[in-house]
Amino acid sequence: MGNFLGTSITKITGVDLSDRFGEDWDSLSTLGVLIRMNIWLLRGMFIRWRLRSVKGLFLVGKGVTLRQPGYIDVGRNFIAQDHCEINGLSQKGLIFGDKVTVGSYAIIRPTNLYGGEAGVGLKVGNNSSIGPYSYIGCSGYIEIGDNVMMSPRVSIYSENHNFGDVALPMIDQGVTRSFVKIEDDCWIAANSIILAGVTVGKGSIVAAGSVVTKDVPPFSIVGGNPAKIIKSRL
């Protein structure tokens, strides 16, 4: 019944939902999901004009905060889930590909909300997600490739506080900006932390709770604090 209703909606709206619902979905459950998605779609229609560009469906959950949306580009089928915060103010802007999801209560923040130099920005490839309760600190440049899965509570930082002068409070010593790059087809598991200057190679897995301080070779599985190579997927 779920597939039947999804296929019916596809014929009406032109949006392919036929593969979202298995045979075990009853019609009432499927209808509830579709009603919620349509509410998010309507909310997005009232907001999308504020963004720099939107290429397709733009779904927005309740309580979503969009700051400086004129710096944000989104592709087709973008979803901002409930209560996430996206701050667009940055030198290169925020660029999201097709079929990107920003999870509930996630924060994307390139620039301090109370002033200071604008951060660099963020690029997220197609079919990638930012997990619920994650923090993406893109004051330096962060690039996330295609087909990247990000679990809840992942933190990514692209700058470090300076602390070389012990006579001066660290809060007054400024920061050093860097970058983070996560290549295609990676899985970043829950509660992981990726620090500035790191590249996570294509096809790699970062185990839950890891702290990644060095580059990860392609197709590697890493874990621990600091993260070390557990094995290769090749």
Side-chain angles (χ1 to χ4, degrees):
M1 179 62 73
N3 266 328
F4 174 77
L5 188 52
T7 302
S8 299
I9 296 295
T10 298
K11 291 179 179 178
I12 295 171
T13 64
V15 180
D16 187 6
L17 299 174
S18 58
D19 62 346
R20 285 184 175 268
F21 306 101
E23 293 297 334
D24 52 341
W25 281 68
D26 59 72
S27 57
L28 187 60
S29 298
T30 305
L31 182 61
V33 171
L34 293 173
I35 289 173
R36 182 170 70 249
M37 290 177 67
N38 276 281
I39 292 172
W40 287 13
L41 177 61
L42 288 172
R43 190 180 288 118
M45 290 176 66
F46 286 101
I47 298 175
R48 60 186 293 143
W49 63 271
R50 299 170 55 201
L51 277 69
R52 185 163 59 188
S53 69
V54 182
K55 293 183 179 178
L57 291 180
F58 181 59
L59 279 65
V60 179
K62 64 181 179 181
V64 170
T65 300
L66 290 177
R67 305 185 191 278
Q68 305 290 339
Y71 291 83
I72 301 173
D73 300 283
V74 301
R76 297 172 178 83
N77 301 339
F78 178 87
I79 301 176
Q81 294 182 346
D82 295 345
H83 302 288
C84 68
E85 174 192 315
I86 305 174
N87 178 9
L89 180 59
S90 51
Q91 299 169 28
K92 295 185 177 181
L94 308 184
I95 301 172
F96 299 96
D98 297 339
K99 296 181 67 177
V100 171
T101 298
V102 178
S104 298
Y105 294 95
I107 296 175
I108 299 174
R109 188 174 292 172
T111 303
N112 192 306
L113 299 178
Y114 307 107
E117 182 184 1
V120 181
L122 170 70
K123 182 179 180 181
V124 181
N126 299 328
N127 202 33
S128 294
S129 63
I130 293 172
Y133 294 93
S134 292
Y135 182 86
I136 311 298
C138 45
S139 52
Y141 194 57
I142 294 179
E143 183 174 348
I144 298 171
D146 298 336
N147 303 306
V148 172
M149 299 185 295
M150 191 180 298
S151 300
R153 302 183 188 279
V154 170
S155 297
I156 304 176
Y157 302 96
S158 56
E159 70 175 19
N160 282 307
H161 288 280
N162 299 326
F163 53 86
D165 187 349
V166 296
L168 189 66
M170 287 182 284
I171 196 171
D172 294 328
Q173 295 187 46
V175 299
T176 298
R177 288 178 171 173
S178 186
F179 70 94
V180 171
K181 184 175 184 179
I182 301 174
E183 296 182 347
D184 298 346
D185 190 31
C186 289
W187 173 20
I188 314 299
N191 295 293
S192 297
I193 299 173
I194 300 177
L195 298 182
V198 165
T199 295
V200 179
K202 180 179 180 179
S204 292
I205 299 171
V206 176
S210 300
V211 180
V212 183
T213 61
K214 297 180 180 179
D215 289 353
V216 177
F219 302 103
S220 298
I221 301 175
V222 301
N225 179 11
K228 298 180 180 179
I229 298 175
I230 299 172
K231 65 178 182 179
S232 173
R233 293 181 60 210
L234 295 174

